[in-house]
Amino acid sequence: MVGEIGVRGVSKSFPLEGGDVEALKGIDLNIASGSFISLIGPSGCGKSTLLRLVAGLVEASEGEITLDSRRIEGPGCERGFVFQEHTLFPWLNIYQNVAFGLKMQGLYKERKGDVDEWIETVSLKGFEKSFPHQLSGGMCQRASLARALVVKPKVLLLDEPLGALDAFTRMNMQEELLRIWAAHRMTMVMVTHDVDEAIYLSDRVVIFSPRPGRTDEIVDIELSRPRARNDEGFIFYRRKILGHLNFGGIRKDPNYSI
Ligand SMILES: Nc1ncnc2c1ncn2[C@@H]1O[C@H](COP(=O)(O)OP(=O)(O)OP(=O)(O)O)[C@@H](O)[C@H]1O
Ligand SMILES: [Mg+2]
């Protein structure tokens, strides 16, 4: 198996006028190859920064990140990335956007069929000739997913990939992600703010503390798949994770009473 990620003693600060911003502090994390991990935590705690570090888009201030025991020193095509905001090229249509990675790697002629296959998988058949501005946010997000997957990465880094979708499309896309994950056995690391989504999809949920982000708790989701959102086991994990995030009970200081 390939796609094992090691994060050892990683801290990241960004220089800013008036003092550095400490985004992450002392992160240690082992992500087994072929596993599905979710990162969850308050806004600004460094989740996207950690994904960017694994992608090789930014450099750690301290510590090291490895992929299959090799130190990550920059971006590589074995790591796919779906960004928080879609990053489709506005001047290319959906087909050209999805085909982009294969063309860059000189694999397009050989694997042309994969482009159609992934467009179909993310339910964008019929929109090949549309440009990003002609699609909804959710459709663009799905196109970004197809663009990342077409090159068959070992590791897929997903930054709130389903955040722009309505609740029902989102649950369907969660199934799709699981199907892709099960079929290709790639390592998936996903940032989400949705506790149910994290439990539904993941082997492990990593809970971050507020900035500077540290790993507050790692919860192994010991439920077989497919999972049911209303099962007792599922609800047990929902309670546990919401409790860690301090959303587990009735608020002590509500500014209303009914
Ligand atoms: N390029 C940058 N330059 C300066 N500061 C940055 C940069 N990228 C991130 N930061 C800072 O690092 C901190 C963590 O940011 P990050 O985007 O990783 O948070 P996040 O957990 O993904 O938040 P959200 O849930 O809102 O997406 C924030 O305080 C942010 O302002
Ligand atoms: Mg983010």
Side-chain angles (χ1 to χ4, degrees):
M1 286 281 258
V2 288
E4 184 182 10
I5 301 163
V7 179
R8 273 176 286 278
V10 166
S11 299
K12 176 68 186 172
S13 300
F14 292 101
L16 215 66
E17 250 179 76
D20 290 358
V21 176
E22 215 177 6
L24 291 170
K25 198 173 170 108
I27 304 285
D28 283 300
L29 201 57
N30 279 323
I31 301 177
S33 68
S35 61
F36 199 127
I37 304 290
S38 287
L39 312 179
I40 202 162
S43 178
C45 71
K47 304 177 297 294
S48 296
T49 302
L50 182 59
L51 279 199
R52 283 168 190 273
L53 285 162
V54 176
L57 298 173
V58 289
E59 222 180 304
S61 312
E62 271 174 46
E64 70 162 11
I65 305 188
T66 54
L67 174 64
D68 296 328
S69 306
R70 276 196 302 276
R71 194 185 170 112
I72 290 173
E73 277 167 352
C77 57
E78 74 290 343
R79 279 160 287 148
F81 203 128
V82 179
F83 289 87
Q84 200 164 353
E85 303 84 28
H86 85 79
T87 50
L88 298 173
F89 300 119
W91 60 90
L92 297 181
N93 68 27
I94 295 306
Y95 184 92
Q96 293 163 330
N97 262 291
V98 175
F100 184 79
L102 288 180
K103 285 192 177 161
M104 291 303 284
Q105 289 180 41
L107 296 169
Y108 176 65
K109 273 196 183 147
E110 212 175 297
R111 304 228 314 254
K112 216 172 159 196
D114 293 2
V115 178
D116 298 307
E117 213 173 286
W118 281 111
I119 287 177
E120 194 164 352
T121 299
V122 298
S123 310
L124 284 176
K125 207 165 161 31
F127 293 94
E128 290 87 343
K129 292 193 175 136
S130 301
F131 286 85
H133 75 273
Q134 296 171 314
L135 301 185
S136 71
M139 291 164 97
C140 289
Q141 202 54 281
R142 284 185 272 142
S144 303
L145 193 59
R147 186 179 64 171
L149 284 163
V150 79
V151 293
K152 294 189 182 148
K154 290 182 199 172
V155 174
L156 187 61
L157 305 164
L158 301 150
D159 198 350
E160 300 188 45
L162 311 181
L165 304 179
D166 68 88
F168 302 117
T169 314
R170 186 168 186 154
M171 285 192 268
N172 286 330
M173 280 305 290
Q174 290 168 359
E175 285 316 310
E176 214 41 69
L177 269 183
L178 283 175
R179 197 188 61 73
I180 292 163
W181 175 67
H184 297 273
R185 277 291 164 190
M186 59 183 73
T187 309
M188 289 200 182
V189 186
M190 181 181 74
V191 172
T192 180
H193 283 113
D194 184 329
V195 173
D196 274 21
E197 180 169 277
I199 301 168
Y200 193 73
L201 296 177
S202 319
D203 297 319
R204 307 183 100 183
V205 178
V206 182
I207 304 173
F208 279 71
S209 65
R211 190 170 59 81
R214 302 164 203 252
T215 47
D216 208 14
E217 182 75 24
I218 296 178
V219 181
D220 287 311
I221 310 293
E222 287 167 0
L223 298 172
S224 57
R225 294 186 181 86
R227 295 173 178 169
R229 292 176 171 85
N230 284 328
D231 266 6
E232 257 176 51
F234 201 99
I235 293 165
F236 163 82
Y237 285 112
R238 186 188 292 150
R239 275 209 193 106
K240 186 170 176 153
I241 294 170
L242 284 173
H244 273 296
L245 294 166
N246 291 323
F247 289 111
I250 295 174
R251 290 190 74 120
K252 288 195 187 74
D253 55 347
N255 53 6
Y256 60 85
S257 68
I258 298 164

